[in-house]
Amino acid sequence: MSDAGEMSEATDLTDQERRFEEKIAAEERIEPKDWVPDAYRKNLVRQMSQHAHSEVIGMQPEGNWLTRAPTLERKQVLLAKIQDEAGHGLYLYSATETLGVTREELIEALHEGRAKYASIFNYPSLTWADIGAIGWLVDGAAIVNQISLQRTSYGPYARAMVRICKEESFHQRQGYQIMVTLAQGSDEQKQMAQDALNRWWWPSLMMFGPHDAESAHSAQSTLWKIKRMGNDEGRQKFVDQTVPQADIISLEIPDPDLRWNEERQHYDFGEIDWDEFMQVISGNGPCNRQRLGQHRKAHNDGVWVREAMAAYAARERDAEGEGES
Amino acid sequence: MTEANSDIAEYSLRLGDDALILAQRLCEWCADAPLLEEDIAIANVGLDYIGRARMFLQYAGELTGSSEDELAYLRDSAEFRNLLMVELPRGDFAFSMVRQYLLDEYESLFFAGLKQSKDANLAGIAEKTLKEVHYHLRRSREWMRRLALGTEESHRRSQDAIDELWGYVAEFFESDEVEERLVGLGIAVERRDLEQAWRASVGELAAKTGLMVPDDDLRQTGGRSGVHTEHLGHLLAEMQFVQRSYPGLKW
């Protein structure tokens, strides 16, 4: 390559940067073929793969009740929901792969603890009511976040969110519907529902992450419009929409500081136990080891199957090649 | 209830139980499949089986005055009428896939026959089911080729699975008085007539993939009359736990 070529490449770089910044400012989508700063790419891979892993690990606490679902209809709906989540995981892995990483690398990062998944799934699902609470609260919180991500700056991620949001609202409704049925049921069922709400409420609030001021990736992600909503804003939205739903079915939110603030036109609520939050994030929640262990085991048990697939595909390719010659 | 209706209820219950118990085994693969695509595919097949179980159990329930959930959750092992093969523990991926394949070949013949049933309800369910079975069979045949021709290990595991499962094949083609009466009325499928075609299809795939078809010495039967393996009781204990622990509630 000539000197002139190298010169123009150097100028192009600043042009590229400028074009990238202009696109972000103009709310245009960044697409896989567009040049992006390395830090933007890394930030996205971190967030999108974490999102994909969350869908996949999230299958475990719900799968825990699949074989014990109390009616055939509930079993059918729960299996359909879990299948959706596997589909979301696959869709998000594919979207992440447009950034130049493979699913295998992403899974390796998960197994080695370099990649995270939503901490909420490190809590156990102990009764059937937990399946209701997960749909109602966990999916409810996830939707708040995912709706805002429909406007995220990376095209494949934004489009994945549009598709995923449609299914998530069905998930949230099926969860709430389980809670409604239990709350109208026997004393034991009501107690089961209340107990599930007690255990899942605070972890659901933690899903929005630390306060904005303390969030490690928030500032840069917001500048790049990867993140379109503050952690505290999302949390407030979730509380505001969920408290009336609990009231309707006479369940009590386990927060003595919760009250309507007429002036703010929002609910005030108590402070999260940030020590617990840090413990679970750093791997010391009730089910961290179990969840990761299960994923690792399934992955390792499947090695021979994936090897057989690869060997068979190679064999078929060879056979085709011979047929052509 | 007339004898014919009582026979039809029993027949529908048997077909519902086949689907329900296999669905339960498929559910055990949740979050445990060798790759995410298979998590999705197994759930797909499982959803078909739960849907099928519900249709047959609802029909049996209409004739006997029970709900689908009463039939699924409140009967004990001896009252279940499923084929023994579907209740066997899920095993490794090869075991589950070979079982699926053997059943898919059988079901494609069986439901093609049941589609012609003079009972409109059974014929309707069979017609819907047959479309699903064709998709299942395409998938399981493809997997059989992959596993049998893939690696030495996948071939060995497939052969082990066939050897283990073969003793439960005889039951596919075994009839009894209830079915004979319904066959006479043009309602049920004469299962004995399916055996030759089934053996031809399975034999052809085995020959192409180098799998050995085992001999027929072992003939485990009894599912249709409620004599099951030890495994069914454990499966039911898990499946029925909530309904049994909190009787009579809505969920």
Side-chain angles (χ1 to χ4, degrees), chain B residues 21-30 42 45-46 49 96 100:
Chain B
I21 301 304
L22 187 63
Q24 185 73 2
R25 288 300 185 207
L26 290 169
C27 284
E28 293 173 355
W29 277 101
C30 179
I42 294 169
V45 176
Y49 275 100
S96 276
Q100 192 65 51

Side-chain angles (χ1 to χ4, degrees), chain A residues 113-297:
Chain A
R114 287 181 282 118
K116 299 238 183 291
Y117 55 88
S119 268
I120 189 96
F121 299 124
N122 291 318
Y123 290 87
S125 65
L126 300 177
T127 72
W128 172 249
D130 288 33
I131 298 307
I134 290 173
W136 176 33
L137 303 174
V138 178
D139 289 316
I143 294 170
V144 170
N145 194 30
Q146 286 166 347
I147 284 176
S148 82
L149 285 172
Q150 291 178 342
R151 296 189 301 119
T152 192
S153 57
Y154 189 56
Y157 194 23
R159 286 188 289 276
M161 284 303 114
V162 172
R163 191 163 140 174
I164 286 170
C165 278
K166 282 183 193 153
E167 292 178 345
E168 288 291 352
S169 59
F170 149 72
H171 296 171
Q172 196 267 350
R173 275 200 302 276
Q174 72 87 31
Y176 186 58
Q177 218 253 320
I178 290 173
M179 296 305 267
V180 171
T181 306
L182 295 176
Q184 291 169 347
S186 72
D187 288 346
E188 283 162 317
Q189 286 174 309
K190 282 178 198 160
Q191 197 188 336
M192 206 183 271
Q194 182 62 54
D195 168 62
L197 172 58
N198 293 348
R199 285 182 288 107
W200 289 93
W201 174 255
W202 289 105
S204 299
L205 295 192
M206 293 177 198
M207 283 176 71
F208 294 92
H211 289 307
D212 294 318
E214 285 136 40
S215 178
H217 305 283
S218 275
Q220 186 57 64
S221 290
T222 304
L223 281 178
W224 277 330
K225 297 184 180 170
I226 294 173
K227 197 175 165 82
R228 301 308 308 253
M229 187 184 62
N231 293 352
D232 292 316
E233 182 192 350
R235 193 158 22 234
Q236 182 72 61
K237 248 187 200 155
F238 172 71
V239 171
D240 289 348
Q241 78 183 32
T242 309
V243 173
Q245 293 168 352
D247 288 345
I248 290 172
I249 54 176
S250 305
L251 292 180
E252 197 183 332
I253 305 264
D255 179 359
D257 297 324
L258 183 80
R259 57 185 58 83
W260 177 251
N261 184 323
E262 191 61 34
E263 200 177 316
R264 290 201 310 126
Q265 288 293 300
H266 287 295
Y267 283 94
D268 292 337
F269 54 96
E271 195 60 35
I272 285 169
D273 179 348
W274 295 109
D275 287 340
E276 179 182 325
F277 175 80
M278 288 313 297
Q279 278 296 312
V280 181
I281 287 240
S282 54
N284 299 321
C287 298
N288 295 59
R289 286 166 195 215
Q290 180 188 335
R291 300 287 185 243
L292 212 50
Q294 160 68 26
H295 193 275
R296 225 181 257 128
K297 182 182 180 301

Side-chain angles (χ1 to χ4, degrees), chain B residues 120-132:
Chain B
N121 286 314
L122 292 175
I125 300 172
E127 189 175 356
K128 184 177 185 300
T129 299
L130 190 59
K131 287 179 196 151
E132 297 166 353

Side-chain angles (χ1 to χ4, degrees), chain B residues 20-201:
Chain B
L20 175 61
I21 301 304
L22 187 63
Q24 185 73 2
R25 288 300 185 207
L26 290 169
C27 284
E28 293 173 355
W29 277 101
C30 179
D32 211 19
L35 63 163
L36 199 47
E37 284 83 349
E38 276 308 299
D39 269 307
I40 295 170
I42 294 169
N44 240 333
V45 176
L47 283 168
D48 287 344
Y49 275 100
I50 298 178
R52 189 196 306 177
R54 293 188 65 193
M55 289 188 286
F56 280 123
L57 293 182
Q58 280 165 10
Y59 187 36
E62 265 173 43
L63 295 168
T64 56
S66 311
S67 71
E68 58 176 32
D69 288 327
E70 281 167 342
L71 290 175
Y73 291 96
L74 301 179
R75 282 179 300 148
D76 207 343
S77 171
E79 296 164 281
F80 272 79
R81 292 288 179 267
N82 58 280
L83 299 169
L84 297 178
M85 190 187 281
V86 298
E87 72 196 44
L88 300 176
R90 67 158 227 209
D92 65 5
F93 188 74
F95 187 88
S96 276
M97 195 49 76
V98 172
R99 163 164 61 190
Q100 192 65 51
Y101 167 68
L102 298 176
L103 282 164
D104 289 344
E105 290 280 10
Y106 161 73
E107 288 183 353
S108 75
L109 298 167
F110 178 83
F111 286 107
L114 193 64
K115 215 176 110 176
Q116 310 299 325
S117 173
K118 285 189 176 154
D119 182 289
N121 286 314
L122 292 175
I125 300 172
E127 189 175 356
K128 184 177 185 300
T129 299
L130 190 59
K131 287 179 196 151
E132 297 166 353
V133 170
H134 284 154
Y135 154 75
H136 299 170
L137 181 58
R138 248 202 334 270
R139 169 175 171 268
S140 61
R141 273 186 183 156
E142 181 63 19
W143 267 112
M144 287 300 292
R145 279 191 287 272
R146 274 192 200 128
L147 295 181
L149 298 171
T151 63
E152 209 174 300
E153 180 177 6
S154 67
H155 184 87
R156 176 180 55 75
R157 286 176 184 261
S158 309
Q159 186 64 56
D160 288 350
I162 289 205
D163 293 347
E164 191 64 31
L165 285 157
W166 203 256
Y168 298 88
V169 162
E171 205 180 20
F172 289 2
F173 310 109
E174 193 188 60
S175 195
D176 67 359
E177 282 176 15
V178 172
E179 291 198 21
E180 287 311 316
R181 284 197 294 270
L182 290 175
V183 167
L185 297 170
I187 290 172
V189 178
E190 175 53 88
R191 292 194 286 144
R192 274 185 286 248
D193 293 350
L194 309 178
E195 183 161 4
Q196 208 182 347
W198 184 87
R199 283 184 181 267
S201 296

Side-chain angles (χ1 to χ4, degrees), chain A residues 318-325:
Chain A
D318 288 350
E320 260 173 47
E322 276 166 29
E324 280 163 17
S325 62

